[in-house]
Amino acid sequence: MNNPFDLTGKIALVTGASYGIGFAIASALAKNGAQIVFNDLKPEFVDKGLAAYKAAGIDAKGYVCDVTNEEQVNAVVKQIETEVGVIDILVNNAGIIKRIPMIEMSAAEFRQVIDVDLNAPFIVAKAVIPGMIKKGGGKIINICSMMSELGRETVSAYAAAKGGLKMLTRNIASEYGEHNIQCNGIGPGYIATPQTAPLRERQSDGSRHPFDSFIIAKTPAARWGTPEDLQGPAVFLASAASDFVNGHILYVDGGILAYIGKQP
Ligand code: NAP
Ligand code: GCO
């Protein structure tokens, strides 16, 4: 039996992958044989990402592209198809969060989060799927969240976007499964990246941030996740090992969603 996790010959686009979760996932796909292409908002971040991939021994290709801009996305996907080849694997990773109490959040701020976290995965998937259909199939992985299932104070826009992304994932799976396209989600728990750094900052007296302690108590694994915790699940969903897995959100959360939380 061939190695079902082998990605040799596959072209993988990972959005927003200069660092953080995207970089970790792209690195794992590369280590399993995929050719990595990634984008970021600013040339300096693309350059920083290229240097990081090179340092990891990965020959990635980087493109400057705002995933919320359909014209830019369509142009970059065409450029990738010309310069590298038709995309086999798409990881919709790029995302932002704004932590603001809902009644204090402007509609523009709400829309900005929806734009990056929900509209952009639609835009990029729409640009990539026709090539996948012509090629005979593909893999789409949308990076969802605990907030695809749960709410909490100050993250209304993010939860709305990630809840919508869960259903967009299921709908792409439903609409394009007959073209041998599998679309699944990864729902990371609380992962130590720049995005969650404010939630882990040490207090002035050197004690843990209250939210840090809260997450430790809510996680059976009693730790924050690392981007590397997401690598195996991503390789699984990007590979032939998951050819009959479609419309599934794989939560990689150390058990948070199964657990009521440790008694204080
Ligand atoms: P991060 O450290 O903030 O990195 C986000 C990446 O997305 C950055 O490279 C950023 O580029 C890029 N990006 C943002 N807006 C973009 C746009 N309009 N166009 C192109 N790129 C854009 O976040 P992370 O923690 O690695 O999270 C990555 C994904 O996982 C996000 O979708 C996030 O919602 C999700 N997630 C994170 C956690 C967690 O605990 N960290 C848990 C669950 C889900 P710039 O640097 O140029 O801004
Ligand atoms: C927050 C965090 C979370 C994580 C992640 C959890 O403020 O609650 O940023 O939203 O980023 O999405 O899965």
Side-chain angles (χ1 to χ4, degrees):
M1 178 184 175
N2 293 333
N3 172 9
F5 299 97
D6 183 14
L7 301 177
T8 305
K10 301 292 185 185
I11 297 167
L13 168 60
V14 185
T15 65
S18 297
Y19 56 87
I21 287 172
F23 179 82
I25 287 176
S27 300
L29 301 182
K31 293 277 191 294
N32 282 273
Q35 164 63 54
I36 298 302
V37 292
F38 74 100
N39 75 296
D40 214 308
L41 266 173
K42 307 174 194 102
E44 56 271 29
F45 277 115
V46 171
D47 292 343
K48 179 182 149 199
L50 286 169
Y53 284 112
K54 189 170 182 213
I58 296 168
D59 175 23
K61 301 204 180 318
Y63 297 83
V64 178
C65 175
D66 176 350
V67 291
T68 67
N69 183 315
E70 189 166 23
E71 198 178 324
Q72 283 186 28
V73 168
N74 290 339
V76 163
V77 168
K78 280 191 174 45
Q79 190 179 354
I80 292 167
E81 290 178 344
T82 304
E83 294 175 356
V84 186
V86 173
I87 293 160
D88 301 286
I89 301 161
L90 166 63
V91 181
N92 276 313
N93 166 77
I96 63 170
I97 191 167
K98 288 185 183 298
R99 300 183 181 98
I100 305 167
M102 195 190 96
I103 61 173
E104 296 168 27
M105 183 179 241
S106 70
E109 288 167 326
F110 188 93
R111 271 196 294 270
Q112 189 187 356
V113 175
I114 297 291
D115 218 13
V116 180
D117 295 1
L118 180 57
N119 294 343
F122 158 76
I123 287 169
V124 183
K126 180 185 166 195
V128 166
I129 285 170
M132 288 181 170
I133 291 173
K134 283 195 200 105
K135 201 167 186 179
K139 299 282 187 177
I140 298 173
I141 301 170
N142 293 323
I143 305 300
C144 296
S145 162
M146 294 288 94
M147 277 56 223
S148 297
E149 302 292 342
L150 303 169
R152 83 172 185 86
E153 299 77 7
T154 76
V155 295
S156 59
Y158 185 83
K162 293 298 188 179
L165 185 57
K166 172 177 71 174
M167 287 315 301
L168 177 63
T169 300
R170 290 179 177 160
N171 213 78
I172 292 171
S174 305
E175 199 164 355
Y176 296 100
E178 66 180 329
H179 297 285
N180 188 33
I181 292 172
Q182 292 83 49
C183 182
N184 294 286
I186 287 177
Y190 280 80
I191 311 295
T193 72
Q195 192 246 51
T196 55
L199 306 175
R200 290 176 283 109
E201 271 165 13
R202 285 279 169 183
Q203 305 298 282
S204 52
D205 64 1
S207 62
R208 280 179 180 271
H209 189 296
F211 195 89
D212 182 355
S213 306
F214 168 69
I215 288 302
I216 299 295
K218 288 287 283 182
T219 309
R223 67 173 175 87
W224 284 71
T226 66
E228 290 69 30
D229 286 319
L230 301 167
Q231 291 183 318
V235 169
F236 167 63
L237 290 177
S239 71
S242 61
D243 278 355
F244 204 54
V245 179
N246 205 12
H248 184 74
I249 311 299
L250 178 53
Y251 287 101
V252 185
D253 65 356
I256 293 176
L257 289 179
Y259 186 39
I260 196 169
K262 188 173 288 301
Q263 182 183 349

